[in-house]
Amino acid sequence: MSEPLFRLERITRTYVQGRAKLNVLNGVDLALGRGEIVALVGPSGAGKSTLLHIAGLLERPDDGEVLLTGKACGRLSDDARTAIRRRQIGFVYQYHHLLPEFSALENIVLPQMIGALDRREAERRGRELLALLKLAERADHRPGQLSGGEQQRVAIARALANAPDLLLADEPTGNLDPRTADEVFQLLLTLVRTVGLAAIIATHNPALAARMDRTVRMENGQLIEA
Protein backbone atom coordinates (compact mmCIF):
# COMPACT_ATOMS: atom_id res chain seq x y z
CA MET A 1 0.00 0.00 0.00
CA SER A 2 1.37 3.43 -0.92
CA GLU A 3 2.18 6.05 1.69
CA PRO A 4 -0.84 8.29 2.51
CA LEU A 5 -0.63 11.80 1.12
CA PHE A 6 -1.67 13.28 4.47
CA ARG A 7 -1.63 11.95 8.02
CA LEU A 8 -2.51 13.05 11.52
CA GLU A 9 -0.81 10.87 14.13
CA ARG A 10 -1.93 10.82 17.79
CA ILE A 11 -2.91 14.49 17.76
CA THR A 12 -3.85 15.99 21.12
CA ARG A 13 -4.97 19.53 21.88
CA THR A 14 -6.04 20.94 25.24
CA TYR A 15 -7.21 24.46 26.03
CA VAL A 16 -6.93 25.97 29.49
CA GLN A 17 -9.88 28.08 30.66
CA GLY A 18 -9.13 29.48 34.09
CA ARG A 19 -8.49 26.47 36.29
CA ALA A 20 -10.28 24.12 33.91
CA LYS A 21 -8.73 22.11 31.08
CA LEU A 22 -10.74 21.32 27.96
CA ASN A 23 -9.45 18.28 26.09
CA VAL A 24 -10.60 19.00 22.53
CA LEU A 25 -8.53 16.41 20.66
CA ASN A 26 -7.33 13.25 22.35
CA GLY A 27 -5.05 11.04 20.26
CA VAL A 28 -6.61 11.70 16.85
CA ASP A 29 -5.40 9.62 13.88
CA LEU A 30 -6.39 10.20 10.27
CA ALA A 31 -4.88 9.25 6.91
CA LEU A 32 -5.91 10.32 3.41
CA GLY A 33 -4.73 9.20 0.01
CA ARG A 34 -4.46 11.23 -3.17
CA GLY A 35 -7.86 11.85 -4.76
CA GLU A 36 -9.70 10.99 -1.53
CA ILE A 37 -12.38 13.25 -0.04
CA VAL A 38 -13.44 12.72 3.59
CA ALA A 39 -16.43 14.22 5.38
CA LEU A 40 -15.76 15.52 8.89
CA VAL A 41 -18.97 15.62 10.95
CA GLY A 42 -19.96 16.19 14.55
CA PRO A 43 -21.87 18.69 16.69
CA SER A 44 -20.78 22.29 17.10
CA GLY A 45 -18.02 22.54 19.68
CA ALA A 46 -16.82 18.97 19.09
CA GLY A 47 -13.42 20.10 17.79
CA LYS A 48 -13.86 20.03 14.00
CA SER A 49 -12.46 23.52 13.47
CA THR A 50 -9.53 22.80 15.81
CA LEU A 51 -8.72 19.68 13.82
CA LEU A 52 -8.82 21.65 10.55
CA HIS A 53 -6.60 24.37 12.02
CA ILE A 54 -4.02 21.81 13.08
CA ALA A 55 -4.25 19.95 9.77
CA GLY A 56 -3.72 23.26 7.97
CA LEU A 57 -0.71 24.19 10.14
CA LEU A 58 -2.55 27.22 11.52
CA GLU A 59 -2.30 25.84 15.04
CA ARG A 60 0.20 23.52 16.72
CA PRO A 61 -0.86 20.30 18.46
CA ASP A 62 0.18 19.73 22.07
CA ASP A 63 1.36 16.29 21.03
CA GLY A 64 1.38 14.15 17.91
CA GLU A 65 2.45 14.91 14.35
CA VAL A 66 1.10 16.29 11.10
CA LEU A 67 2.62 14.75 7.96
CA LEU A 68 2.09 16.02 4.42
CA THR A 69 3.64 14.16 1.48
CA GLY A 70 5.70 12.23 4.04
CA LYS A 71 7.18 15.32 5.71
CA ALA A 72 6.65 16.03 9.41
CA CYS A 73 5.26 19.57 9.65
CA GLY A 74 3.82 20.02 13.13
CA ARG A 75 7.01 21.25 14.83
CA LEU A 76 8.46 23.39 12.05
CA SER A 77 9.15 27.10 12.46
CA ASP A 78 6.40 29.61 11.74
CA ASP A 79 8.12 30.64 8.49
CA ALA A 80 8.42 27.04 7.31
CA ARG A 81 4.78 26.32 8.16
CA THR A 82 3.68 29.45 6.30
CA ALA A 83 5.64 28.36 3.22
CA ILE A 84 3.97 24.93 3.29
CA ARG A 85 0.51 26.47 3.66
CA ARG A 86 1.19 28.73 0.69
CA ARG A 87 2.41 25.92 -1.59
CA GLN A 88 0.65 22.78 -0.45
CA ILE A 89 -2.59 23.58 1.39
CA GLY A 90 -5.79 25.20 0.15
CA PHE A 91 -8.53 26.56 2.41
CA VAL A 92 -12.24 27.13 1.75
CA TYR A 93 -14.50 28.61 4.42
CA GLN A 94 -18.26 29.04 4.85
CA TYR A 95 -17.91 32.68 3.78
CA HIS A 96 -15.89 33.28 0.61
CA HIS A 97 -13.60 36.09 1.93
CA LEU A 98 -12.94 37.37 -1.59
CA LEU A 99 -11.28 40.77 -1.98
CA PRO A 100 -14.19 43.01 -3.11
CA GLU A 101 -12.09 45.50 -5.08
CA PHE A 102 -10.61 42.81 -7.36
CA SER A 103 -12.20 40.74 -10.11
CA ALA A 104 -12.80 37.01 -9.86
CA LEU A 105 -9.69 36.36 -11.94
CA GLU A 106 -7.57 38.76 -9.89
CA ASN A 107 -8.65 37.05 -6.66
CA ILE A 108 -7.20 33.83 -8.06
CA VAL A 109 -4.09 35.43 -9.56
CA LEU A 110 -2.96 37.25 -6.40
CA PRO A 111 -2.11 34.22 -4.24
CA GLN A 112 -0.14 32.75 -7.12
CA MET A 113 1.88 35.93 -7.53
CA ILE A 114 2.54 35.99 -3.78
CA GLY A 115 3.97 32.54 -4.39
CA ALA A 116 6.32 34.10 -6.99
CA LEU A 117 4.55 32.80 -10.09
CA ASP A 118 4.77 34.90 -13.24
CA ARG A 119 1.61 36.97 -13.79
CA ARG A 120 0.96 35.58 -17.27
CA GLU A 121 1.15 32.00 -16.00
CA ALA A 122 -0.97 32.90 -12.97
CA GLU A 123 -3.67 34.33 -15.26
CA ARG A 124 -3.55 31.24 -17.47
CA ARG A 125 -4.00 29.02 -14.42
CA GLY A 126 -6.78 31.27 -13.09
CA ARG A 127 -8.76 31.16 -16.32
CA GLU A 128 -8.33 27.41 -16.49
CA LEU A 129 -9.79 26.99 -13.00
CA LEU A 130 -12.65 29.39 -13.70
CA ALA A 131 -13.49 27.39 -16.81
CA LEU A 132 -13.49 24.14 -14.83
CA LEU A 133 -15.89 25.76 -12.36
CA LYS A 134 -18.11 27.06 -15.17
CA LEU A 135 -17.21 30.70 -14.51
CA ALA A 136 -15.15 31.56 -17.59
CA GLU A 137 -17.51 34.37 -18.59
CA ARG A 138 -17.43 35.89 -15.08
CA ALA A 139 -13.65 36.31 -14.88
CA ASP A 140 -13.75 40.12 -14.97
CA HIS A 141 -16.66 40.52 -12.55
CA ARG A 142 -16.07 41.67 -8.99
CA PRO A 143 -17.50 39.62 -6.08
CA GLY A 144 -20.39 42.05 -5.61
CA GLN A 145 -21.52 41.27 -9.15
CA LEU A 146 -21.59 37.51 -8.54
CA SER A 147 -24.20 35.30 -6.91
CA GLY A 148 -23.44 33.51 -3.64
CA GLY A 149 -22.76 30.27 -5.47
CA GLU A 150 -20.48 31.98 -7.96
CA GLN A 151 -18.54 33.70 -5.17
CA GLN A 152 -17.96 30.39 -3.43
CA ARG A 153 -16.81 28.77 -6.66
CA VAL A 154 -14.27 31.58 -7.07
CA ALA A 155 -13.14 30.89 -3.50
CA ILE A 156 -12.65 27.23 -4.41
CA ALA A 157 -10.65 28.21 -7.49
CA ARG A 158 -8.50 30.50 -5.34
CA ALA A 159 -7.87 27.63 -2.88
CA LEU A 160 -6.68 25.46 -5.76
CA ALA A 161 -4.66 28.16 -7.51
CA ASN A 162 -1.27 27.04 -6.20
CA ALA A 163 -2.00 23.36 -6.97
CA PRO A 164 -2.07 22.23 -3.29
CA ASP A 165 -1.76 18.65 -2.14
CA LEU A 166 -4.38 19.11 0.60
CA LEU A 167 -7.70 20.96 0.56
CA LEU A 168 -9.44 21.85 3.84
CA ALA A 169 -13.00 23.16 3.78
CA ASP A 170 -15.12 24.28 6.74
CA GLU A 171 -18.84 24.22 5.83
CA PRO A 172 -18.06 25.39 2.26
CA THR A 173 -21.73 25.30 1.20
CA GLY A 174 -23.25 26.36 4.53
CA ASN A 175 -24.34 29.80 3.27
CA LEU A 176 -25.92 28.51 0.07
CA ASP A 177 -29.44 27.35 -0.74
CA PRO A 178 -29.80 23.55 -1.21
CA ARG A 179 -29.76 23.58 -5.02
CA THR A 180 -26.74 25.88 -5.25
CA ALA A 181 -24.98 23.94 -2.48
CA ASP A 182 -25.45 20.74 -4.46
CA GLU A 183 -24.05 22.30 -7.65
CA VAL A 184 -21.02 23.80 -5.87
CA PHE A 185 -20.28 20.57 -4.04
CA GLN A 186 -20.48 18.50 -7.22
CA LEU A 187 -17.95 20.80 -8.87
CA LEU A 188 -15.71 20.59 -5.81
CA LEU A 189 -15.93 16.80 -5.82
CA THR A 190 -15.08 16.66 -9.53
CA LEU A 191 -12.05 18.91 -9.02
CA VAL A 192 -10.71 16.80 -6.15
CA ARG A 193 -10.94 13.71 -8.34
CA THR A 194 -9.49 15.44 -11.40
CA VAL A 195 -6.60 17.18 -9.67
CA GLY A 196 -5.82 14.24 -7.37
CA LEU A 197 -5.46 16.04 -4.08
CA ALA A 198 -6.68 14.97 -0.64
CA ALA A 199 -9.62 16.82 0.90
CA ILE A 200 -11.24 17.09 4.33
CA ILE A 201 -14.68 18.73 4.27
CA ALA A 202 -16.37 19.68 7.55
CA THR A 203 -20.13 19.67 7.09
CA HIS A 204 -23.42 19.43 8.97
CA ASN A 205 -25.18 18.27 5.79
CA PRO A 206 -25.65 14.46 5.91
CA ALA A 207 -26.60 14.31 2.23
CA LEU A 208 -23.29 15.90 1.20
CA ALA A 209 -21.35 13.71 3.65
CA ALA A 210 -22.90 10.60 2.10
CA ARG A 211 -21.46 11.54 -1.31
CA MET A 212 -17.86 11.56 -0.07
CA ASP A 213 -15.54 8.57 0.08
CA ARG A 214 -16.00 8.13 3.82
CA THR A 215 -17.18 9.97 6.90
CA VAL A 216 -15.36 10.49 10.19
CA ARG A 217 -17.12 11.84 13.27
CA MET A 218 -15.64 13.95 16.06
CA GLU A 219 -16.81 12.43 19.32
CA ASN A 220 -15.34 12.90 22.81
CA GLY A 221 -12.10 14.22 21.39
CA GLN A 222 -11.55 11.35 18.97
CA LEU A 223 -12.32 10.53 15.35
CA ILE A 224 -14.66 7.62 14.76
CA GLU A 225 -15.32 6.12 11.33
CA ALA A 226 -19.03 6.69 10.74
Side-chain angles (χ1 to χ4, degrees):
M1 183 177 179
S2 62
E3 178 77 8
L5 179 68
F6 173 77
R7 280 188 293 158
L8 297 176
E9 294 185 344
R10 304 178 303 281
I11 296 293
T12 65
R13 186 71 174 99
T14 299
Y15 296 103
V16 178
Q17 298 178 336
R19 296 183 178 180
K21 290 185 177 181
L22 180 63
N23 297 315
V24 178
L25 303 178
N26 186 19
V28 167
D29 292 302
L30 180 65
L32 282 82
R34 192 171 291 280
E36 184 176 15
I37 185 167
V38 172
L40 174 63
V41 303
S44 297
K48 299 189 301 298
S49 292
T50 297
L51 185 146
L52 289 177
H53 288 168
I54 290 174
L57 306 182
L58 293 167
E59 188 173 335
R60 296 180 189 273
D62 296 322
D63 198 10
E65 189 54 270
V66 181
L67 296 104
L68 183 58
T69 60
K71 180 178 181 178
C73 304
R75 310 295 173 183
L76 295 175
S77 68
D78 288 342
D79 287 347
R81 289 153 60 88
T82 297
I84 291 171
R85 284 197 303 271
R86 185 178 297 149
R87 295 192 309 266
Q88 293 183 264
I89 304 174
F91 299 88
V92 182
Y93 298 100
Q94 185 170 352
Y95 185 70
H96 56 76
H97 296 296
L98 298 174
L99 298 173
E101 66 271 29
F102 293 101
S103 70
L105 179 61
E106 289 167 338
N107 267 278
I108 302 167
V109 166
L110 283 171
Q112 297 180 77
M113 293 183 67
I114 291 171
L117 192 66
D118 174 76
R119 183 182 182 92
R120 182 176 296 180
E121 178 60 20
E123 289 186 353
R124 185 201 65 77
R125 170 76 172 162
R127 291 187 185 281
E128 181 181 84
L129 286 167
L130 286 172
L132 285 171
L133 287 161
K134 304 184 186 303
L135 287 173
E137 296 181 356
R138 309 290 272 170
D140 297 324
H141 290 69
R142 294 185 179 183
Q145 299 171 301
L146 304 175
S147 69
E150 289 171 336
Q151 291 171 346
Q152 195 65 321
R153 279 185 274 162
V154 174
I156 292 169
R158 179 183 58 189
L160 297 176
N162 285 327
D165 294 299
L166 176 67
L167 178 69
L168 302 172
D170 196 354
E171 295 287 347
T173 60
N175 278 334
L176 306 176
D177 65 80
R179 179 176 177 178
T180 303
D182 181 76
E183 292 174 351
V184 169
F185 178 78
Q186 184 56 51
L187 287 167
L188 176 61
L189 184 63
T190 300
L191 276 173
V192 170
R193 300 278 193 253
T194 302
V195 175
L197 51 97
I200 305 173
I201 313 295
T203 182
H204 283 103
N205 187 326
L208 292 185
R211 293 165 62 183
M212 302 189 215
D213 295 317
R214 56 192 171 102
T215 298
V216 292
R217 176 179 294 278
M218 284 298 311
E219 194 170 300
N220 297 321
Q222 298 201 343
L223 277 184
I224 299 170
E225 293 278 347

